Amino acid sequence: MRRIAVCAPGKRLERERADAVLDIVAGRPDVELIFHRQCFARHGHFAGDDQTRLAALLECANDPDVDAVWFAMGGYGANRIAADAIAGMTQSARSKPFLGYSDTGYLLAALYRAGIGQAVHAPLAGDIRRDGGADAIHRVLDWLGGSDSGLEPSLDNRPTAAFNLTTLAMLAGTDLMPDLAGHVIMVEEVAEHLYAVDRLFFHITQHLPDIAGLRLGRISEIPENDRPFGSGPDDIARYWCSRTGIPYLGHADIGHDPGNRIVPFGLARRALTA
Amino acid sequence: MRRIAVCAPGKRLERERADAVLDIVAGRPDVELIFHRQCFARHGHFAGDDQTRLAALLECANDPDVDAVWFAMGGYGANRIAADAIAGMTQSARSKPFLGYSDTGYLLAALYRAGIGQAVHAPLAGDIRRDGGADAIHRVLDWLGGSDSGLEPSLDNRPTAAFNLTTLAMLAGTDLMPDLAGHVIMVEEVAEHLYAVDRLFFHITQHLPDIAGLRLGRISEIPENDRPFGSGPDDIARYWCSRTGIPYLGHADIGHDPGNRIVPFGLARRALTA
């Protein structure tokens, strides 16, 4: 039985979503899931103030009886606590996977940079709210159980990392940013205008000159603008990669949707050996 | 008589706005204003494709009979042509001011980095569309005529630069970014959620550890979110400055509005001696 602790470094989780995930887990004898009460806290934009979110994350990370830390929601806020979280992690944190995406990418980056645990770009517990969300939940639980079936299919023998595009752009050059030289980098985005996507690619491609290549996940829910941008996400990725000499490697099967596949950071293909 | 050339490195200008500015200039015998035809070009999101916008900017910048280059509109797109623009500028460009703000900040930054001309954060010709826009137009023309009355009032004996917050965040770490050590940096933003403002401050404060201090311009037209952020722009600026050891210097009289005052980059207080 694997014990998985869930906390919310940014946005709070609705109780009914936690309940829906617990219903799924009830049918799986291989997993015990513990939602930290902090998941349901409120403080303005956040699931509790910085101190509350930090303390909950450290409780989950440093508990020797917890096998994995799963993030409940993205939102915004993980960057505010990431440096302190790394500083507060103990030996118990070093052997476990941390799973999430979107805004929790700040933590994945910081963990990967610090060499603590295993950062894994994967569905959030809160993805249960999406149509097909149960599949996303099972994908994470299956992977934690040792299955490779949910892995992003293009993963190869090169180290890899995956990010929300805005998150990666905001990480670039900060003290949370890992060295991504030689990595395949996958990016996805949601609800951003194409001009903003273009702008973000300008920024990240300048910051990642020595990566092995870039793959484009889904750029979804693009808002309609007052005028068409004139080119699509593929053209944008290709253009900026070409300008900066980064190999453009095609698509990645990640995105803000229930199909979001699993990308363990680095070279690891599986988190837990049985 | 000063000859001012206007071009549009990002978004196109509506003809009626150019006409309204020309009406103002008609009453000022000190100024001749030339709108480059490129201002009115269309190419998807942009005022003409990259090559068209670049060529127009270089025509204006390199024309020895032009005393100043004034940007028509912000929008998005100046970053795509800025590096080539710098590479294409000749001796004639080196003595003239370039005026604008918002997205044209990519060009101001690149010019300042290259030591070409004088970068000036100032109203755009297209600001005529705003209530009180005529005042903004006169402010630019008066400054070009030698008046100090439109300068941002906090300017002191420290080198200064002003930026749109998103533009500065996207510039940080790129090959367009000038060395801003020892500078007072002013930032303004429009139409961004407070969580995005917080995220941008996280990014820029990490990239600007050695500036003399930061001043906050207006953060306007903040969209309503599904939940309140919990703190305001001042708190956000103060928080991130405090975290990164940057002196927070208070407000700056700049913003996406007709009150936007003039900030010549560096130590210059006036662009043209009479």
Side-chain angles (χ1 to χ4, degrees), chain A residues 156-161 179-186 205 207-215 241 244-250 266-267:
Chain A
D156 57 20
N157 60 355
R158 292 173 291 188
T160 303
D179 181 1
L180 298 174
H183 286 58
V184 174
I185 300 301
M186 302 176 174
T205 52
H207 277 274
L208 301 169
D210 50 5
I211 61 174
L214 193 137
R215 282 190 179 273
C241 283
T244 50
I246 295 173
Y248 178 58
L249 305 175
L267 275 169

Side-chain angles (χ1 to χ4, degrees), chain B residues 88-152:
Chain B
M89 286 191 184
T90 63
Q91 193 56 36
S92 295
R94 298 193 166 265
S95 57
K96 63 189 67 165
F98 295 76
L99 302 100
Y101 72 112
S102 191
D103 184 73
T104 68
Y106 294 107
L107 284 166
L108 302 183
L111 288 160
Y112 190 57
R113 174 183 171 125
I116 295 174
Q118 180 173 15
V120 185
H121 192 272
L124 299 155
D127 279 324
I128 189 67
R129 76 188 181 280
R130 303 185 191 273
D131 272 352
D135 289 348
I137 301 306
H138 281 296
R139 189 176 311 125
V140 168
L141 301 179
D142 290 349
W143 183 81
L144 285 169
S147 166
D148 277 0
S149 65
L151 289 177
E152 204 285 332

Side-chain angles (χ1 to χ4, degrees), chain A residues 65-77:
Chain A
D65 296 328
V66 163
D67 299 305
V69 179
W70 193 13
F71 298 129
M73 291 289 286
Y76 170 70

Side-chain angles (χ1 to χ4, degrees), chain A residues 128-249:
Chain A
I128 188 67
R129 75 188 181 281
R130 305 185 190 273
D131 273 351
D135 289 347
I137 302 305
H138 281 297
R139 190 176 311 126
V140 168
L141 302 179
D142 290 348
W143 182 82
L144 284 169
S147 166
D148 277 0
S149 66
L151 289 177
E152 203 287 331
S154 73
L155 290 173
D156 57 20
N157 60 355
R158 292 173 291 188
T160 303
F163 295 97
N164 169 261
L165 180 59
T166 296
T167 304
L168 178 57
M170 293 295 104
L171 277 165
T174 73
D175 59 14
L176 305 180
M177 182 74 165
D179 181 1
L180 298 174
H183 286 58
V184 174
I185 300 301
M186 302 176 174
V187 292
E188 60 81 32
E189 191 50 277
V190 63
E192 293 287 350
H193 287 102
L194 285 176
Y195 70 81
V197 171
D198 196 77
R199 193 164 60 188
L200 291 163
F201 265 96
F202 156 71
H203 190 67
I204 66 157
T205 52
Q206 289 247 340
H207 277 274
L208 301 169
D210 50 5
I211 61 174
L214 193 137
R215 282 190 179 273
L216 184 65
R218 286 176 286 282
I219 307 292
S220 57
E221 298 176 36
I222 300 167
E224 198 157 340
N225 202 6
D226 57 355
R227 55 201 192 281
F229 184 68
S231 66
D234 269 276
D235 301 320
I236 291 170
R238 219 177 280 277
Y239 171 78
W240 287 108
C241 283
S242 161
R243 259 185 81 146
T244 50
I246 295 173
Y248 178 58
L249 305 175

Side-chain angles (χ1 to χ4, degrees), chain B residues 22 34 52 55 58 66 71 75 80 98 112 117 120 152 172 174 192 204 224 255 257 263:
Chain B
L22 288 171
I34 306 130
T52 302
L58 288 176
V66 163
F71 299 129
R80 295 174 60 101
F98 295 76
Y112 190 57
V120 185
E152 204 285 332
T174 72
E192 292 287 350
I204 66 157
E224 199 158 338
D257 55 55
V263 182

